[in-house]
Amino acid sequence: QVQLVESGGGVVQAGTSLRLSCVASGRTASSSAMGWFRQAPGKERELVAGIRWSGGSTGCADSVKGRFTISRDNAKNTMYLQMNSLKPEDTAVYYCVDRRGGYYSRAPEEYDYWGQGTQVTVSS
């Protein structure tokens, strides 16, 4: 089992920054990839950014490219999402996800563990 705990969400104004953190505990050694999904009211969950543990390759959605950066600290079993130049359309619940095998994926069903989510609200 793996437990994922997100933190760092909040209410901010457009143009400002937030950093989300996700601390993983439990059987973290078997993780192959992690990522951040988000879900806005009335919309489907979408992959915001992903990172592969082996090699550290990353990817992100076109909508956040150049503004969001995903990173990890292996020693702390922690993943981060640095979000700059936030926009009202970034408002959503952000979820930390973990996958046991394979690359990061846009398909939510391919992830084995999910955090409880953290709310990010960006006001205009």
Side-chain angles (χ1 to χ4, degrees):
Q1 288 291 333
V2 172
Q3 294 77 43
L4 304 173
V5 179
E6 304 101 333
S7 62
V11 180
V12 297
Q13 289 191 331
T16 59
S17 301
L18 276 177
R19 188 177 79 159
L20 304 183
S21 299
C22 173
V23 178
S25 60
R27 299 180 64 181
T28 59
S30 299
S31 174
S32 65
M34 293 185 72
W36 291 94
F37 273 78
R38 67 184 180 186
Q39 187 168 26
K43 295 188 177 181
E44 295 185 350
R45 290 185 179 186
E46 65 168 343
L47 178 69
V48 176
I51 185 166
R52 187 165 171 82
W53 284 115
S54 176
S57 60
T58 63
C60 64
D62 288 342
S63 59
V64 305
K65 200 163 290 184
R67 300 188 297 122
F68 290 12
T69 303
I70 188 171
S71 62
R72 75 192 196 283
D73 184 330
N74 289 355
K76 297 181 178 180
N77 281 337
T78 302
M79 179 178 65
Y80 303 98
L81 184 68
Q82 178 65 44
M83 306 186 294
N84 298 330
S85 301
L86 283 161
K87 302 176 181 180
E89 51 263 44
D90 295 318
T91 295
V93 177
Y94 285 71
Y95 297 92
C96 171
V97 295
D98 177 277
R99 188 177 186 187
R100 300 283 93 182
Y103 220 72
Y104 50 84
S105 166
R106 294 179 181 178
E109 63 270 18
E110 293 187 358
Y111 291 86
D112 300 282
Y113 298 100
W114 289 72
Q116 81 287 352
T118 186
Q119 176 71 47
V120 172
T121 302
V122 184
S123 61
S124 57

